[in-house]
């Protein structure tokens, strides 16, 4: 069996939502023989891991934390495992989706969120009811600093506007060594999250239901943004809104011009035959964002009002 290097937590977390059973966040590049996770599956599950890499040890730790532990063995092991039926590799009900009609116990993304809370929230303090000592709702601003493309060029100004409105703003810039327990603790205890479309927004899975989530949608990424995080947000019962940027807010206007460019005026026409590498580079790697602060402020003010209500009820 071919060994694979475990990917960083952001892409691993993004990849896990492709699993119908959604076993684990840091095991994106592992292969699984699955027959039951709690009430997700049946019989005794086995995980094939590579003990020599970081991903394998992370898989083992998470599986050991479950009420019904998994048995695991190394991909380099010479042991023979006999089973009546096995599922090898990834299973999917669709992109970023769990279809309760196709799961043995009608599981949903809400159940998966509870699974994540059990795994990564153990031992962490839970949000407390609102009090005067916590007068401001917490907003997580997912930052793409260090990434290629889709940067918020005026991020500092956006943060300042949000603070002026009344938010406590936390910049969240997950890195390769960022602990998922740490990420869960921050996001689960927050009341709102915003960020530009990208893999880091998969951390919205850590938000509590009824939290506020705003996805900033770049030019040309409307369809994929809804597929990746729009449906996920609705299934997670988040208060979801999209902020679709205007042409003037995209850095592509400087490169292609506003009036005569099909890139800006009709992205769907360019994408009708699929996402070639060239098209993907234009919209996802070459494009950065300079938010219209006056326009975006309206979204932030609405999010603030809803966050206050959420915080008063849920802490």
């Amino acid at each position: 069996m071919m060994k694979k290097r475990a990917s960083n937590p952001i892409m691993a977390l993004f990849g896990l939502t492709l699993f119908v059973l959604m076993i684990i966040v840091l095991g994106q590049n592992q292969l699984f023989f699955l027959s039951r996770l709690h009430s997700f599956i049946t019989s005794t599950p086995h995980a094939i891991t590579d003990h020599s890499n970081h991903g394998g040890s992370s898989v083992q730790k998470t599986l050991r934390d479950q009420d019904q532990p998994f048995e695991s063995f190394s991909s380099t092991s010479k042991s023979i495992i006999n089973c009546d039926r096995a599922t090898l590799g990834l299973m999917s009900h669709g992109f970023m989706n769990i279809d309760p009609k196709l799961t043995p116990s009608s599981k949903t993304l809400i159940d998966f969120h509870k699974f994540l809370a059990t795994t990564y929230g153990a031992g962490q303090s839970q949000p407390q009811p609102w009090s005067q000592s916590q007068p401001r709702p917490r907003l997580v601003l997912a930052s793409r600093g260090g990434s290629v493309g889709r940067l918020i060029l005026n991020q500092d100004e956006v943060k300042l506007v949000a603070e002026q409105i009344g938010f406590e703003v936390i910049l969240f810039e997950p890195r390769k060594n960022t602990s998922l327990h740490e990420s869960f603790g921050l996001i689960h205890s927050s009341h709102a999250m915003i960020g530009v479309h990208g893999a880091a927004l998969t951390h919205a899975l850590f938000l509590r239901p009824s939290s506020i989530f705003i996805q900033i949608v770049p030019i040309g990424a409307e369809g994929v943004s809804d597929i990746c995080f729009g449906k996920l947000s609705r299934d997670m019962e988040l208060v979801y809104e999209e902020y679709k940027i205007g042409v003037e807010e995209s850095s592509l206007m400087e490169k292609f011009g506003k009036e005569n460019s099909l890139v800006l005026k009709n992205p769907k026409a360019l994408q009708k035959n699929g996402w070639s590498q060239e098209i993907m580079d234009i919209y996802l790697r070459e494009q950065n964002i300079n938010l219209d602060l006056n326009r975006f402020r309206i979204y932030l003010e609405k999010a603030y009002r809803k966050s206050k209500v959420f915080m008063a009820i849920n802490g």
Side-chain angles (χ1 to χ4, degrees):
M1 183 174 294
M2 183 179 298
K3 295 184 181 179
K4 295 184 179 180
R5 186 180 301 275
S7 62
N8 65 57
I10 303 174
M11 292 307 299
L13 184 57
F14 184 72
L16 79 91
T17 54
L18 299 178
F19 293 6
V20 165
L21 307 173
M22 293 187 172
I23 295 289
I24 184 150
V25 178
L26 276 178
Q28 181 185 357
N29 288 337
Q30 307 301 318
L31 294 178
F32 290 93
F33 282 103
L34 304 176
S35 35
R36 185 180 180 91
L37 166 63
H38 288 301
S39 54
F40 277 86
I41 342 171
T42 61
S43 183
T44 301
H46 293 77
I48 306 177
T49 66
D50 184 345
H51 294 269
S52 65
N53 65 35
H54 173 69
S57 61
S58 299
V59 168
Q60 288 182 299
K61 181 180 186 304
T62 304
L63 299 183
R64 285 198 302 267
D65 289 342
Q66 305 310 309
D67 294 337
Q68 181 182 345
F70 283 61
E71 296 179 20
S72 65
F73 57 95
S74 172
S75 59
T76 59
S77 172
K78 297 181 180 179
S79 302
I80 297 177
I81 301 296
N82 296 311
C83 56
D84 296 327
R85 184 179 63 180
T87 298
L88 173 62
L90 310 185
M91 299 174 60
S92 175
H93 294 164
F95 199 73
M96 307 286 281
N97 182 39
I98 293 179
D99 186 345
K101 296 178 182 178
L102 299 178
T103 60
S105 302
S106 300
K107 293 298 183 181
T108 67
L109 274 176
I110 297 294
D111 296 299
F112 181 54
H113 172 80
K114 294 176 182 177
F115 165 62
L116 293 177
T118 300
T119 303
Y120 294 110
Q124 297 192 26
S125 59
Q126 297 301 310
Q128 299 299 313
W130 180 86
S131 67
Q132 290 297 328
S133 62
Q134 188 191 24
R136 297 189 296 164
R138 177 183 296 160
L139 169 68
V140 173
L141 173 54
S143 172
R144 292 182 57 82
S147 300
V148 177
R150 288 163 286 151
L151 303 176
I152 300 178
L153 300 177
N154 56 343
Q155 178 175 276
D156 291 343
E157 289 89 339
V158 172
K159 180 176 182 291
L160 180 60
V161 170
E163 290 172 339
Q164 290 172 344
I165 290 172
F167 279 112
E168 173 195 1
V169 182
I170 305 294
L171 288 180
F172 177 61
E173 188 176 327
R175 300 183 180 276
K176 185 175 182 179
N177 60 349
T178 300
S179 163
L180 285 174
H181 284 85
E182 176 185 339
S183 300
F184 181 91
L186 168 65
I187 296 171
H188 188 72
S189 63
S190 299
H191 309 95
M193 180 176 178
I194 64 174
V196 180
H197 172 76
L201 293 192
T202 312
H203 289 86
L205 284 164
F206 292 168
L207 288 168
R208 291 171 283 169
S210 298
S211 298
I212 288 74
F213 179 41
I214 299 176
Q215 178 178 197
I216 300 171
V217 181
I219 297 291
E222 294 83 356
V224 70
S225 293
D226 185 70
I227 291 172
C228 290
F229 303 114
K231 188 178 188 308
L232 178 146
S233 300
R234 294 187 287 271
D235 291 346
M236 284 280 295
E237 299 181 4
L238 302 177
V239 178
Y240 173 70
E241 191 156 4
E242 289 183 348
Y243 178 87
K244 296 180 180 179
I245 71 168
V247 172
E248 295 81 2
E249 296 171 277
S250 172
S251 64
L252 295 180
M253 188 177 69
E254 299 178 5
K255 181 175 182 179
F256 295 98
K258 178 180 179 181
E259 299 299 329
N260 301 315
S261 173
L262 196 63
V263 169
L264 293 171
K265 294 178 66 175
N266 194 357
K268 290 183 179 180
L270 292 179
Q271 301 166 8
K272 65 180 180 180
N273 295 322
W275 279 67
S276 66
Q277 187 62 51
E278 180 182 7
I279 290 176
M280 188 176 298
D281 286 345
I282 290 173
Y283 290 114
L284 299 184
R285 295 177 64 86
E286 298 176 11
Q287 180 173 200
N288 292 313
I289 296 168
N290 192 30
L291 290 172
D292 180 334
L293 296 180
N294 291 327
R295 179 175 169 234
F296 194 63
R297 185 184 187 97
I298 298 173
Y299 285 74
L300 289 174
E301 288 174 343
K302 186 189 300 185
Y304 176 75
R305 292 192 295 269
K306 293 180 178 179
S307 295
K308 291 282 284 187
V309 174
F310 174 78
M311 184 173 67
I313 298 173
N314 300 283

